[in-house]
Amino acid sequence: MTVPLLRPFPGLRPSPDHAADVAAPPYDVLSSDEARAMAADKPLSFLHISKPEIDLPEGTDVHSPAVYAKGAENLKALIDSGVLVRDAKPCFYVYRLSMGKHAQNGIVGGGSVAAYDSNRIRKHEFTRPDKEDDRVRQIDACDAQTGPVLLAHRNHPDIAAVIAVMIRRRPAYTVIAPDGVIHTLWVMDDEAMIDKVTAAFDSMDAIYIADGHHRSAAASRVAASRRAGAPPSDAAPSDAAHESFLVVTFPMEEMMILDYNRVVRDLNGLDPAQFLRALEPEFEVAAITGLARPAAPRSFGLYLEGQWYRLILRNPPPLDPVARLDVSLLTDRLLGPVLGIHDLRSDKRIDFVGGRRGLGELEKRVDSGEMAAAFAMFPPQMRDLVAVADAGLVMPPKSTWFEPKLADGMVSYPLDWS
């Protein structure tokens, strides 16, 4: 049996009375200290599963076996107490994210590991082995995938039609997160709808990872390990639960990428006047009143000594889908040649400010004296991500910041079904 690109599964999810108590921010947006403070008076918070070090002595190595074992213990406790309940049959789920006037409606399902391995579920980032290892251990310990991967797909009329019907129904639950984002989930258990959605995804050439590359890579490794570990007389079937992984996929037209800005600690030995002059061969530089928020690609904002400047690229970008990205252009034409910052992954002189913090956070970091200058970016578009992924390439570090974020705990993917 060939596993569909996206298939239904019997989700493990909170009972309606407990949804607001369980749902939590993604595991990778909080430090251990932040998670410990947030979950201090919330015994049902999913942070006890996704960040289980908060229930162990401070200073515990977050990658120690005790941490993964504690996460599994906490998950079992929520199941045993009836806080988390598994659906009786495989389902899809409709997940709506609402932030202010913005809303996006997607499908929760099991993404095919085979499609990921063959690049039909396409990547645009490198992964780090240590982060993959962490997720592999967490999945194996819990025997479940508890952190959803955010995907993007091209709009399909059949999927849109099913979602339109579903969101007119009463949801399973709605959760308003502390940051104001509204998370709403509907259970799709109608066989005709499930078949329609399955067929629609199977007709697609590719879907795209927006956020969750380490979770995807870890799911692939878990599947490969469990395949290899199956007894020869009982080879793991191609439709085993571990052959899929937890995803939420939205129409790319509905998704929102915010700017991922840069701050630098020094000017590489230049004084501000020298630095500004060094930019002139590649950029038109103009001081402006107010915030220099870029309004289009190939333009950048610079905050330096209490003053905003608008930088406009003088020369056209190359055709290469990676080299033409604004984040690449800033590195190749300014950060590298002027400031000597070439490796964004390892250079300690650069930091990144993403998402909803806004340009005010850039001013704060510079005005405090912590940073010497800040660069405001125009966010990449979904078409940029797709072009890079379709070419089999990767985007530079800290290129995309998707908002709003999915919550952990709204629905999890157990690995003990088939």
Side-chain angles (χ1 to χ4, degrees), residues 131-387:
K131 290 191 173 184
E132 284 188 28
D133 291 345
D134 169 62
R135 290 300 90 193
V136 168
R137 293 175 187 139
Q138 196 266 352
I139 293 169
D140 273 334
C142 292
D143 203 27
Q145 293 160 6
T146 61
V149 175
L150 178 66
L151 300 182
H153 63 267
R154 292 184 175 88
N155 197 18
H156 190 289
D158 288 348
I159 299 172
V162 169
I163 289 176
V165 171
M166 288 295 304
I167 62 177
R168 289 198 295 267
R169 298 179 178 178
R170 182 182 181 87
Y173 37 79
T174 296
V175 174
I176 302 176
D179 62 1
V181 174
I182 302 172
H183 304 259
T184 308
L185 193 83
W186 291 263
V187 178
M188 187 193 305
D189 57 6
D190 179 88
E191 293 294 341
M193 285 185 171
I194 289 173
D195 290 346
K196 194 171 187 177
V197 169
T198 301
F201 278 107
D202 273 348
S203 72
M204 297 180 184
D205 292 334
I207 54 180
Y208 301 84
I209 300 174
D211 192 14
H213 285 79
H214 291 95
R215 279 158 275 173
S216 306
S220 174
R221 285 175 52 185
V222 168
S225 174
R226 295 193 178 197
R227 260 181 250 130
S233 60
D234 185 29
S238 61
D239 62 343
H242 59 249
E243 297 297 341
S244 299
F245 59 104
L246 179 63
V247 305
V248 187
T249 179
F250 293 93
M252 58 183 65
E253 297 85 356
E254 295 183 10
M255 299 180 75
M256 184 164 60
I257 307 177
L258 301 187
D259 42 309
Y260 216 149
N261 303 310
R262 278 82 169 113
V263 288
V264 296
R265 298 186 188 282
D266 62 69
L267 299 181
N268 201 28
L270 303 174
D271 64 35
Q274 292 171 327
F275 173 65
L276 290 171
R277 286 197 296 272
L279 304 185
E280 291 179 356
E282 292 286 357
F283 300 90
E284 299 175 13
V285 182
I288 69 165
T289 301
L291 301 174
R293 184 181 300 280
R298 322 303 175 231
S299 65
F300 308 84
L302 164 65
Y303 187 66
L304 177 69
E305 289 198 315
Q307 173 66 55
W308 279 100
Y309 299 84
R310 180 171 289 118
L311 310 181
I312 305 294
L313 196 70
R314 290 186 184 276
N315 301 309
L319 296 178
D320 179 90
V322 176
R324 68 183 291 107
L325 296 170
D326 280 6
V327 289
S328 299
L329 294 169
L330 186 74
T331 299
D332 295 343
R333 303 193 185 187
L334 193 159
L335 297 179
V338 179
L339 295 180
I341 298 173
H342 300 279
D343 187 347
L344 304 189
R345 295 181 184 275
S346 62
D347 200 311
K348 302 302 183 185
R349 297 168 54 218
I350 189 167
D351 199 3
F352 307 90
V353 179
R356 297 156 66 185
R357 294 175 181 264
L359 301 195
E361 180 68 14
L362 301 186
E363 293 181 334
K364 178 181 175 182
R365 298 284 293 272
V366 174
D367 291 344
S368 69
E370 176 194 3
M371 297 292 178
F375 300 93
M377 311 294 296
F378 186 78
Q381 307 301 295
M382 282 300 307
R383 62 178 175 271
D384 300 320
L385 184 155
V386 168

Side-chain angles (χ1 to χ4, degrees), residues 5 112-124 205-209 213 388-393:
L5 181 61
S112 165
V113 169
Y116 170 83
D117 290 342
S118 66
N119 203 39
R120 191 175 168 202
I121 297 179
R122 293 188 177 157
K123 320 160 190 67
H124 69 268
D205 292 334
I207 54 180
Y208 301 84
I209 300 174
H213 285 79
V388 170
D390 283 347
L393 302 172

